[in-house]
Coordinates of all heavy atoms in Angstrom, one line a residue:
M1 N 0.9 -1.2 0.0 CA 0.0 0.0 0.0 C 0.9 1.2 0.0 O 1.8 1.4 0.8 CB -0.9 0.0 1.2 CG -2.0 1.0 1.2 SD -3.1 0.8 2.7 CE -4.2 -0.4 2.0
S2 N 0.7 2.1 -0.9 CA 1.5 3.3 -1.0 C 1.1 4.4 0.0 O 0.0 4.4 0.5 CB 1.4 3.9 -2.4 OG 0.2 4.5 -2.6
A3 N 2.0 5.4 0.2 CA 1.7 6.5 1.1 C 0.5 7.2 0.6 O -0.3 7.7 1.4 CB 2.9 7.4 1.3
G4 N 0.3 7.4 -0.7 CA -0.8 8.1 -1.2 C -2.1 7.4 -0.9 O -3.2 8.0 -0.6
T5 N -2.1 6.1 -1.0 CA -3.3 5.3 -0.7 C -3.6 5.4 0.8 O -4.8 5.6 1.2 CB -3.1 3.8 -1.0 OG1 -2.7 3.7 -2.4 CG2 -4.3 3.0 -0.8
I6 N -2.6 5.3 1.7 CA -2.9 5.5 3.1 C -3.4 6.9 3.4 O -4.3 7.0 4.2 CB -1.6 5.2 3.9 CG1 -1.2 3.7 3.7 CG2 -1.7 5.6 5.4 CD1 0.2 3.4 4.2
G7 N -2.8 7.9 2.8 CA -3.3 9.3 3.0 C -4.7 9.5 2.5 O -5.3 10.4 3.1
S8 N -5.1 8.8 1.5 CA -6.5 9.1 1.0 C -7.6 8.3 1.7 O -8.7 8.5 1.4 CB -6.5 8.9 -0.5 OG -6.3 7.6 -0.8
K9 N -7.2 7.3 2.5 CA -8.2 6.5 3.2 C -7.8 6.3 4.6 O -6.6 6.0 4.9 CB -8.3 5.1 2.5 CG -9.0 5.1 1.2 CD -9.4 3.7 0.9 CE -10.5 3.8 -0.2 NZ -11.1 2.5 -0.5
L10 N -8.7 6.5 5.5 CA -8.5 6.3 6.9 C -9.8 5.7 7.4 O -10.9 6.2 7.0 CB -8.2 7.6 7.6 CG -8.0 7.5 9.1 CD1 -6.7 6.7 9.4 CD2 -7.8 8.9 9.7
L11 N -9.8 4.6 8.2 CA -11.0 3.9 8.6 C -11.8 3.4 7.4 O -13.0 3.2 7.5 CB -11.9 4.9 9.5 CG -11.3 5.4 10.7 CD1 -12.2 6.5 11.3 CD2 -11.0 4.3 11.7
G12 N -11.1 3.2 6.3 CA -11.8 2.7 5.1 C -12.6 3.7 4.4 O -13.5 3.3 3.6
V13 N -12.4 5.0 4.7 CA -13.2 6.0 4.1 C -12.4 6.8 3.0 O -11.3 7.2 3.3 CB -13.6 7.0 5.2 CG1 -14.3 8.3 4.6 CG2 -14.5 6.4 6.2
N14 N -13.0 7.0 1.9 CA -12.3 7.8 0.8 C -12.5 9.2 1.2 O -13.7 9.7 1.3 CB -13.0 7.5 -0.5 CG -12.4 8.2 -1.7 OD1 -12.2 9.4 -1.6 ND2 -12.1 7.5 -2.7
F15 N -11.4 10.0 1.4 CA -11.5 11.3 1.9 C -12.2 12.2 0.9 O -12.9 13.2 1.2 CB -10.1 11.9 2.1 CG -9.6 11.5 3.5 CD1 -8.2 11.5 3.7 CD2 -10.4 11.2 4.5 CE1 -7.7 11.1 4.9 CE2 -9.9 10.8 5.8 CZ -8.5 10.8 5.9
H16 N -12.0 12.0 -0.4 CA -12.7 12.8 -1.4 C -14.2 12.7 -1.3 O -14.9 13.7 -1.3 CB -12.2 12.4 -2.8 CG -10.8 12.7 -3.1 ND1 -10.3 14.0 -3.2 CD2 -9.7 11.9 -3.1 CE1 -9.0 13.9 -3.4 NE2 -8.6 12.6 -3.3
D17 N -14.7 11.5 -1.1 CA -16.2 11.3 -0.9 C -16.6 11.9 0.4 O -17.7 12.6 0.4 CB -16.5 9.8 -0.9 CG -16.5 9.1 -2.2 OD1 -16.5 9.8 -3.3 OD2 -16.5 7.9 -2.3
F18 N -15.8 11.7 1.4 CA -16.2 12.3 2.7 C -16.3 13.8 2.7 O -17.3 14.4 3.1 CB -15.2 11.9 3.8 CG -15.6 12.3 5.2 CD1 -16.4 11.5 5.9 CD2 -15.1 13.4 5.7 CE1 -16.8 11.9 7.2 CE2 -15.4 13.8 7.0 CZ -16.3 13.0 7.8
I19 N -15.3 14.5 2.1 CA -15.3 15.9 2.0 C -16.5 16.4 1.2 O -17.2 17.4 1.5 CB -14.0 16.4 1.4 CG1 -12.9 16.2 2.4 CG2 -14.1 17.9 1.1 CD1 -11.5 16.4 1.9
E20 N -16.8 15.7 0.1 CA -17.9 16.1 -0.8 C -19.2 16.0 0.0 O -20.1 16.9 -0.1 CB -17.9 15.2 -2.0 CG -19.0 15.6 -3.0 CD -19.0 14.6 -4.2 OE1 -18.0 14.3 -4.7 OE2 -20.2 14.2 -4.5
K21 N -19.4 14.9 0.7 CA -20.7 14.7 1.4 C -20.8 15.4 2.7 O -21.9 15.7 3.2 CB -20.9 13.2 1.6 CG -21.1 12.5 0.3 CD -21.2 11.0 0.4 CE -21.4 10.4 -1.0 NZ -21.5 9.0 -1.0
E22 N -19.6 15.8 3.3 CA -19.6 16.5 4.5 C -20.4 17.8 4.4 O -21.1 18.2 5.4 CB -18.2 16.8 5.0 CG -18.1 17.6 6.2 CD -16.6 17.9 6.5 OE1 -15.8 18.0 5.6 OE2 -16.3 18.2 7.7
S23 N -20.3 18.5 3.3 CA -20.9 19.8 3.2 C -22.5 19.7 3.0 O -23.2 20.7 3.3 CB -20.4 20.5 2.0 OG -20.6 19.8 0.8
R24 N -22.9 18.5 2.7 CA -24.4 18.3 2.4 C -25.1 17.5 3.5 O -26.3 17.5 3.5 CB -24.6 17.6 1.1 CG -24.2 18.4 -0.1 CD -24.5 17.7 -1.4 NE -23.3 16.8 -1.7 CZ -23.4 15.6 -2.2 NH1 -24.6 15.1 -2.6 NH2 -22.3 14.9 -2.4
N25 N -24.3 16.8 4.4 CA -24.9 15.9 5.3 C -24.5 16.2 6.7 O -23.4 16.7 7.0 CB -24.5 14.4 5.0 CG -25.0 14.0 3.6 OD1 -26.2 14.1 3.3 ND2 -24.1 13.6 2.8
N26 N -25.4 15.9 7.7 CA -25.0 16.0 9.1 C -24.2 14.8 9.6 O -24.0 13.9 8.8 CB -26.2 16.3 10.0 CG -27.2 15.1 10.0 OD1 -26.8 14.0 10.0 ND2 -28.5 15.4 10.1
V27 N -23.7 14.9 10.8 CA -22.8 13.8 11.3 C -23.5 12.5 11.3 O -22.9 11.5 11.0 CB -22.4 14.2 12.8 CG1 -21.6 13.1 13.4 CG2 -21.6 15.5 12.8
L28 N -24.8 12.4 11.7 CA -25.5 11.1 11.7 C -25.6 10.5 10.4 O -25.4 9.3 10.2 CB -26.9 11.3 12.4 CG -27.6 10.1 12.9 CD1 -26.7 9.4 13.9 CD2 -28.9 10.5 13.6
E29 N -25.9 11.4 9.4 CA -26.0 10.9 8.0 C -24.7 10.4 7.5 O -24.6 9.4 6.8 CB -26.6 12.0 7.1 CG -28.0 12.3 7.4 CD -28.5 13.6 6.7 OE1 -27.7 14.5 6.4 OE2 -29.7 13.6 6.3
L30 N -23.6 11.1 7.8 CA -22.3 10.7 7.4 C -21.9 9.3 8.0 O -21.3 8.5 7.4 CB -21.2 11.7 7.7 CG -21.3 13.0 6.9 CD1 -20.4 14.1 7.6 CD2 -20.9 12.8 5.5
A31 N -22.2 9.2 9.3 CA -21.9 7.9 10.0 C -22.6 6.8 9.3 O -22.0 5.7 9.0 CB -22.3 8.0 11.4
A32 N -23.9 6.9 8.9 CA -24.7 5.9 8.3 C -24.1 5.6 6.9 O -24.0 4.5 6.5 CB -26.1 6.3 8.2
E33 N -23.8 6.7 6.2 CA -23.3 6.6 4.8 C -22.0 5.8 4.7 O -21.8 4.9 3.8 CB -23.1 8.0 4.2 CG -22.4 8.0 2.8 CD -23.4 7.7 1.7 OE1 -24.6 7.9 1.9 OE2 -22.9 7.3 0.6
F34 N -21.1 6.0 5.7 CA -19.7 5.4 5.6 C -19.6 4.3 6.6 O -18.5 3.7 6.7 CB -18.7 6.5 5.9 CG -18.6 7.5 4.8 CD1 -19.1 8.7 4.9 CD2 -17.9 7.2 3.6 CE1 -19.0 9.7 3.9 CE2 -17.8 8.1 2.6 CZ -18.4 9.4 2.7
G35 N -20.6 3.9 7.3 CA -20.5 2.8 8.2 C -19.6 3.0 9.4 O -18.9 2.1 9.9
L36 N -19.6 4.3 9.9 CA -18.8 4.7 11.1 C -19.7 5.1 12.2 O -20.9 5.3 12.1 CB -17.9 5.9 10.7 CG -17.0 5.7 9.5 CD1 -16.4 7.1 9.1 CD2 -15.9 4.7 9.8
S37 N -19.0 5.2 13.4 CA -19.8 5.7 14.5 C -19.8 7.2 14.4 O -19.0 7.8 13.7 CB -19.1 5.3 15.8 OG -17.8 6.0 16.0
V38 N -20.6 7.9 15.2 CA -20.7 9.3 15.2 C -19.4 9.9 15.7 O -18.8 10.9 15.2 CB -21.9 9.8 16.1 CG1 -21.8 11.3 16.3 CG2 -23.2 9.5 15.4
G39 N -18.8 9.2 16.7 CA -17.5 9.7 17.2 C -16.4 9.6 16.2 O -15.5 10.5 16.1
Q40 N -16.4 8.6 15.3 CA -15.4 8.4 14.3 C -15.6 9.5 13.2 O -14.6 10.1 12.7 CB -15.5 7.0 13.6 CG -15.0 5.9 14.5 CD -15.3 4.6 13.9 OE1 -16.4 4.3 13.4 NE2 -14.3 3.7 14.0
V41 N -16.8 9.9 12.9 CA -17.1 10.9 11.9 C -16.5 12.3 12.5 O -15.9 13.0 11.8 CB -18.6 11.1 11.6 CG1 -18.8 12.3 10.8 CG2 -19.0 9.8 10.8
K42 N -16.8 12.5 13.8 CA -16.3 13.7 14.4 C -14.8 13.8 14.4 O -14.2 14.8 14.2 CB -16.8 13.9 15.8 CG -18.3 14.2 15.9 CD -18.8 14.3 17.3 CE -20.3 14.6 17.3 NZ -20.8 14.7 18.7
Q43 N -14.2 12.6 14.6 CA -12.7 12.5 14.6 C -12.2 12.8 13.2 O -11.2 13.6 13.1 CB -12.3 11.2 15.1 CG -10.8 11.0 15.2 CD -10.4 9.5 15.6 OE1 -11.2 8.6 15.5 NE2 -9.2 9.4 16.0
L44 N -12.8 12.3 12.2 CA -12.3 12.6 10.8 C -12.5 14.0 10.5 O -11.6 14.6 9.9 CB -13.2 11.7 9.8 CG -12.7 10.3 9.6 CD1 -13.7 9.6 8.7 CD2 -11.3 10.3 9.0
K45 N -13.6 14.6 10.9 CA -13.8 16.1 10.6 C -12.8 16.9 11.3 O -12.2 17.8 10.7 CB -15.2 16.5 11.1 CG -16.3 15.9 10.2 CD -17.7 16.3 10.7 CE -18.0 17.7 10.3 NZ -19.3 18.0 9.9
K46 N -12.4 16.5 12.5 CA -11.4 17.3 13.3 C -10.0 17.1 12.6 O -9.3 18.1 12.5 CB -11.3 16.7 14.7 CG -10.4 17.6 15.6 CD -10.3 17.0 17.0 CE -11.5 17.2 17.8 NZ -11.4 16.8 19.2
Q47 N -9.7 15.9 12.1 CA -8.5 15.7 11.4 C -8.4 16.5 10.1 O -7.3 17.1 9.8 CB -8.3 14.2 11.1 CG -8.0 13.3 12.3 CD -6.6 13.7 12.9 OE1 -5.6 13.9 12.2 NE2 -6.5 13.7 14.2
L48 N -9.5 16.6 9.4 CA -9.5 17.3 8.2 C -9.3 18.8 8.4 O -8.7 19.5 7.6 CB -10.8 17.1 7.4 CG -10.9 15.7 6.8 CD1 -12.3 15.5 6.3 CD2 -9.9 15.5 5.7
E49 N -9.9 19.3 9.5 CA -9.7 20.8 9.9 C -8.2 21.1 10.1 O -7.8 22.2 9.8 CB -10.5 21.1 11.1 CG -12.0 21.1 10.8 CD -12.8 21.3 12.1 OE1 -12.2 21.6 13.2 OE2 -14.0 21.3 12.0
R50 N -7.5 20.1 10.6 CA -6.1 20.4 11.0 C -5.2 20.4 9.7 O -4.1 21.0 9.8 CB -5.6 19.3 11.9 CG -6.2 19.3 13.3 CD -5.6 18.3 14.2 NE -6.3 18.3 15.4 CZ -6.2 17.3 16.3 NH1 -5.4 16.2 16.0 NH2 -6.8 17.4 17.4
N51 N -5.6 19.8 8.7 CA -4.8 19.7 7.5 C -5.0 20.8 6.5 O -5.6 21.6 6.2 CB -5.0 18.4 6.7 CG -4.5 17.2 7.6 OD1 -3.6 17.4 8.3 ND2 -5.1 16.1 7.4

């Protein structure tokens, strides 16, 4: 697995899809869409804000 692949996926989530859907969906909808817990979605959002 390359560094680019690792960087674009965390918790099995494609960041491009996540960022696109983040603007249109709330935390609960994102969790259901990506099969994550609400806490994991919040963690991903926090990580994206730092980058």
Side-chain angles (χ1 to χ4, degrees):
M1 189 175 276
S2 71
T5 304
I6 294 169
S8 66
K9 283 196 168 192
L10 181 64
L11 300 171
V13 173
N14 182 312
F15 280 154
H16 295 287
D17 284 344
F18 185 84
I19 291 168
E20 180 183 319
K21 292 177 181 180
E22 177 188 23
S23 64
R24 293 182 276 144
N25 298 306
N26 65 37
V27 175
L28 199 55
E29 291 170 328
L30 289 169
E33 174 80 22
F34 292 102
L36 302 172
S37 70
V38 170
Q40 288 172 316
V41 170
K42 289 179 180 179
Q43 182 182 17
L44 277 174
K45 289 179 79 145
K46 188 182 287 187
Q47 287 294 322
L48 289 171
E49 289 174 5
R50 292 182 185 166
N51 293 330

